[in-house]
Amino acid sequence: MIYTVLSLFPELIHAFFSLSILGKAVHQGMVGYRSVNIRDFAGDKHKTCDDAPYGGGPGMLMMAEPIGRALASLGICGKRAEPAAEEPQARVIYLSPSGRPLTQELAKELAAEPELILLCGRYEGMDQRIIDRYVDDEISIGDYVLSSGEAAALVLIDATYRLIEAVISPASLEEESFSGGLLEYPQYTRPEIYGNLKVPEVLLSGHHENIRRWRLRKRIEKTLALRPDLILQGEETGLFDRETRTIIAELRKSGGG
Ligand code: 9WO
């Protein structure tokens, strides 16, 4: 996977790649990144990349031309243009609060791409013609507004990168939050007593079947309390096995959910 990030703040992206979690995938050359400073493609001596919106309204927008030139420098010629070569064009993603939600499922799909081009906006938005001409997916990491798209791009990179890493060093992806449509069970490590808080007895019992059942029940309790939408979704899509359905029914009867 190559992550190509277009941004007005490439230092932010660079800091993440140089400081973080650079795991095996980067060292083995399976993951690489390049950053492109949109300002380098401005057209005037002041390196202007923003201008006021037509029709009025607050703030400034990113201009189309510097971004178009930055993409052209990467060989991206836009949807209505003839491809420069035979090779398939990399997927262009615009991080925006009005995009479709980033989920674990979408992260898996993106992690399978050979290259992602991540477009980070700033100011109050971007000239729509860039989105219309170049952007394949407009993606949101959640329902809130940031000051720019870089932090969202880093979230997307992190969520996809660890899936690539997991192909090399398979850990317990099956066990993590959202697998099976439920949140995670609570976890404990030493010491056995912290202040006046004890580790649940069942986890010390060594009884694997009881532990498995306790963890499943905890996952369901937590999901019913915090994310009832995930329970409804799992029921609608027939995701839950019989044991899970039985516990959901029990917990609903005993109040809550
Ligand atoms: C700011 C603003 C202020 C007044 C009126 C309208 C406005 N819209 C915006 C706005 O959406 N600014 C964005 C800032 C422009 C694109 C980059 N920015 C951004 C990306 N903020 N939040 C994100 C983002 C990306 C992905 N997932 C969640 C949030």
Side-chain angles (χ1 to χ4, degrees), residues 96-98 140-146 152 155:
S96 145
S98 38
S140 165
I141 61 158
D143 292 339
Y144 36 77
V145 179
L146 306 169
V155 167

Side-chain angles (χ1 to χ4, degrees), residues 57-62 94-100 119-126 139-153:
M60 302 291 270
L61 302 179
M62 291 184 79
Y94 176 49
L95 286 310
S96 145
S98 38
R100 79 168 144 139
L119 183 52
C120 302
R122 245 230 125 184
Y123 310 113
E124 277 66 48
M126 163 160 334
I139 296 179
S140 165
I141 61 158
D143 292 339
Y144 36 77
V145 179
L146 306 169
S147 55
S148 69
E150 280 80 2

Side-chain angles (χ1 to χ4, degrees), residues 95-253:
L95 286 310
S96 145
S98 38
R100 79 168 144 139
L102 179 64
T103 60
Q104 191 64 25
E105 194 185 343
L106 178 55
K108 279 182 197 161
E109 184 189 321
L110 297 174
E113 293 279 340
E115 179 175 8
L116 296 178
I117 296 185
L118 304 174
L119 183 52
C120 302
R122 245 230 125 184
Y123 310 113
E124 277 66 48
M126 163 160 334
D127 191 307
Q128 182 63 35
R129 291 169 291 186
I130 286 292
I131 297 163
D132 294 343
R133 178 160 173 190
Y134 294 103
V135 172
D136 299 307
D137 299 275
E138 200 171 341
I139 296 179
S140 165
I141 61 158
D143 292 339
Y144 36 77
V145 179
L146 306 169
S147 55
S148 69
E150 280 80 2
L154 294 179
V155 167
L156 188 152
I157 290 166
D158 200 310
T160 51
Y161 169 81
R162 60 190 294 284
L163 296 173
I164 300 165
E165 187 79 12
V167 175
I168 308 170
S169 312
S172 53
L173 285 191
E174 287 305 303
E175 287 273 307
E176 70 190 20
S177 290
F178 301 115
S179 81
L182 296 170
L183 302 181
E184 258 180 273
Y185 51 79
Q187 304 188 86
Y188 303 84
T189 185
R190 290 194 296 178
E192 223 177 280
I193 300 171
Y194 168 66
N196 61 352
L197 301 174
K198 240 190 135 288
V199 173
E201 205 60 51
V202 62
L203 298 179
L204 310 173
S205 70
H207 192 304
H208 298 302
E209 176 58 15
N210 285 352
I211 291 170
R212 189 194 63 76
R213 260 187 295 218
W214 181 86
R215 284 178 168 167
L216 177 60
R217 176 174 287 264
K218 285 292 177 186
R219 294 183 71 187
I220 297 168
E221 279 175 8
K222 184 166 186 193
T223 311
L224 274 168
L226 299 184
R227 293 294 304 276
D229 58 304
L230 290 180
I231 298 284
L232 293 179
Q233 190 186 318
E235 287 177 327
E236 277 164 22
T237 58
L239 189 64
F240 299 139
D241 59 17
R242 182 155 173 191
E243 182 183 16
T244 301
R245 293 198 304 268
T246 306
I247 299 172
I248 292 170
E250 266 174 47
L251 289 169
R252 279 195 177 129
K253 217 186 293 170

